Amino acid sequence: MFLHTKGLQFECKPEQADALYAMKFQEILGGQFGEMTVMMQYLWQGFTCRMPGKYKDMIMDIATEEIGHVEMLTTMLARLLEGAPAEVVEKSVAANPVLAAVIGGMNPQHAIVSGGNALPRDSQGVPWNAGYIVASGNLLADFRSNVAAEAQSRVMTSRLYNMTDDHGVKQTLAFNLARDTFHQQQWLRGIEQLVADGLVESEIETSNAEFENEEAGRTYYGFDPDSQAHEGMWANGRTMLGDADVNYVVNPAPSADDGMLPPPDPKLFVTYDGNAGTPKTGDAAGAHLQGAQNVVSKVKDKLTPDE
C-alpha cells in the first residue's frame, strides 16, 4: 500500500518558463537513466525481494522516494512549459546558434546523455520501456546495477545543471544531485552489509565459483601489442579473490577450432555450399535426448543417499 502526500519532497519552481530547456529536461524523467527507470527498477527489486526485514525495507524506502522524484520532475516540466509562445522559441533560436541547431534537427540527447558523442538509438529517440530496468533477484548484482544507475542519472543531472541559469531549476537539480550522491552510498553500503551478514562471500558476484576455469579467472588478455593497459592495477599484482597473481597475456592465441558451424536444416533455406557436410532436416531428437537424460539424472539424484 502506498500513501500519497500532496506536498512535494522539494520545491520545483523555475523563475520563468523555458520550452527549449523543458525538451532537454525530459531526459532525466523518461530517458534510459531517468527517474522513471530507477523508480521502476527499485520497486521491482523491492516487490520481488524474498527477505523480509532491513534489505527489503531499504529498497522500498528508496523506491518510494523515487516515485516522489518522478512527480517532482513532471511538476517542473509543466511549469517550464507554461505559456511558452512560439515567439520565445524564435527569439532563442535567433540569439543562440546552438539552440538553432537543436531546433533544426540536432538530437538534444547528444548533449544531455552522451556529452556530445553518438548514441546507440534511432534519430527520434526511444520511449521509456521496461527493458531499462534490472531486477535479477540477486541483491549483490542488483545493488551494483543501482550504483551505476544513480551515477548515470547524476551525470545527466549535472550536465543539465550547467545548461541553465534559472535559479529555481538549479535549486531543484542541486537537491537531485545530493540525493543521487547519497543513494550511491546507500547501495554501496548495502553491498558491504551483504558481506557482513554472510549472505555473499565477497563484494564480487561469485556464484558457482567452484566450477570456474581457474586460469581464466586470473588472466588479463591484451589484444593490442602497443596497448598500455598493462600499466593499470587491473593487470598487475594479486587478484581481488583468492591468493593468486594476475596473469598478463599479450596477443593471446586461440585455443579452440575455427568455430565452423554445422550444416543448416534445409527447411530453413539458409545459403549453404556443403562445406560442413550434408545437411539434415531437424527432428528435435537432440532436445528429446537431453530431456530424457535430465529425467534420468533426477531419478539418480533421488536414489543416491546423502553422504
Side-chain angles (χ1 to χ4, degrees):
M1 181 176 70
F2 289 94
L3 301 177
H4 179 256
T5 300
K6 291 182 179 179
L8 298 178
Q9 186 181 20
F10 191 84
E11 188 172 61
C12 297
K13 290 184 178 179
E15 292 179 322
Q16 60 185 7
D18 188 337
L20 292 175
Y21 189 75
M23 180 173 58
K24 303 173 185 179
F25 196 90
Q26 187 70 44
E27 187 61 36
I28 61 171
L29 173 65
Q32 181 179 2
F33 300 107
E35 294 293 334
M36 289 179 62
T37 294
V38 292
M39 175 188 74
M40 287 299 295
Q41 179 157 311
Y42 304 162
L43 282 172
W44 218 257
Q45 290 175 8
F47 293 156
T48 57
C49 180
R50 296 176 182 269
M51 294 190 300
K54 62 187 177 189
Y55 288 103
K56 188 180 185 76
D57 292 346
M58 182 265 285
I59 298 170
M60 289 304 300
D61 278 342
I62 303 177
T64 304
E65 179 181 357
E66 298 295 359
I67 298 175
H69 290 182
V70 170
E71 184 178 16
M72 286 170 56
L73 297 191
T74 56
T75 301
M76 176 64 81
L77 272 165
R79 290 170 174 170
L80 285 169
L81 292 168
E82 181 181 5
E87 65 183 52
V88 174
V89 177
E90 293 172 2
K91 290 179 180 179
S92 298
V93 169
N96 190 326
V98 175
L99 293 181
V102 173
I103 295 300
M106 176 183 172
N107 186 343
Q109 290 185 342
H110 285 157
I112 300 169
V113 179
S114 65
N117 295 306
L119 289 164
R121 308 175 189 181
D122 62 37
S123 61
Q124 299 302 306
V126 179
W128 188 89
N129 71 84
Y132 295 156
I133 72 171
V134 175
S136 69
N138 181 305
L139 292 188
L140 175 58
D142 285 351
F143 286 2
R144 287 214 172 277
S145 178
N146 296 351
V147 174
E150 293 286 351
Q152 291 283 358
S153 176
R154 195 183 187 287
V155 167
M156 294 197 311
T157 302
S158 190
R159 289 170 178 165
L160 276 173
Y161 184 91
N162 292 336
M163 293 180 185
T164 182
D165 293 324
D166 189 297
H167 180 68
V169 174
K170 280 184 172 290
Q171 280 190 314
T172 299
L173 294 180
F175 176 80
N176 281 16
L177 286 171
R179 296 311 297 161
D180 287 347
T181 297
F182 190 68
H183 285 165
Q184 289 180 74
Q185 297 175 66
Q186 286 183 286
W187 297 123
L188 288 169
R189 288 295 192 190
I191 292 173
E192 293 179 8
Q193 189 70 60
L194 287 169
V195 176
D197 290 344
L199 294 171
V200 296
E201 293 185 2
S202 74
E203 296 184 2
I204 296 176
E205 208 291 306
T206 58
S207 55
N208 274 344
E210 65 271 25
F211 302 116
E212 284 188 4
N213 180 303
E214 187 275 332
E215 182 178 357
R218 63 181 183 88
T219 300
Y220 183 100
Y221 296 110
F223 295 95
D224 178 358
D226 297 322
S227 172
Q228 296 178 328
H230 63 279
E231 298 174 2
M233 296 174 63
W234 49 80
N236 291 280
R238 311 296 279 180
T239 60
M240 295 179 68
L241 298 173
D243 188 25
D245 290 326
V246 174
N247 180 31
Y248 186 87
V249 177
V250 182
N251 294 334
S255 60
D257 59 26
D258 57 5
M260 182 68 70
L261 301 179
D265 186 329
K267 290 186 176 181
L268 298 180
F269 309 109
V270 176
T271 303
Y272 177 61
D273 62 2
N275 66 84
T278 304
K280 298 179 181 179
T281 300
D283 58 5
H288 290 307
L289 177 60
Q290 183 61 59
Q293 290 175 342
N294 290 343
V295 171
V296 171
S297 296
K298 290 180 179 179
V299 172
K300 286 183 177 179
D301 289 341
K302 290 291 185 180
L303 296 177
T304 303
D306 295 334
E307 296 181 357

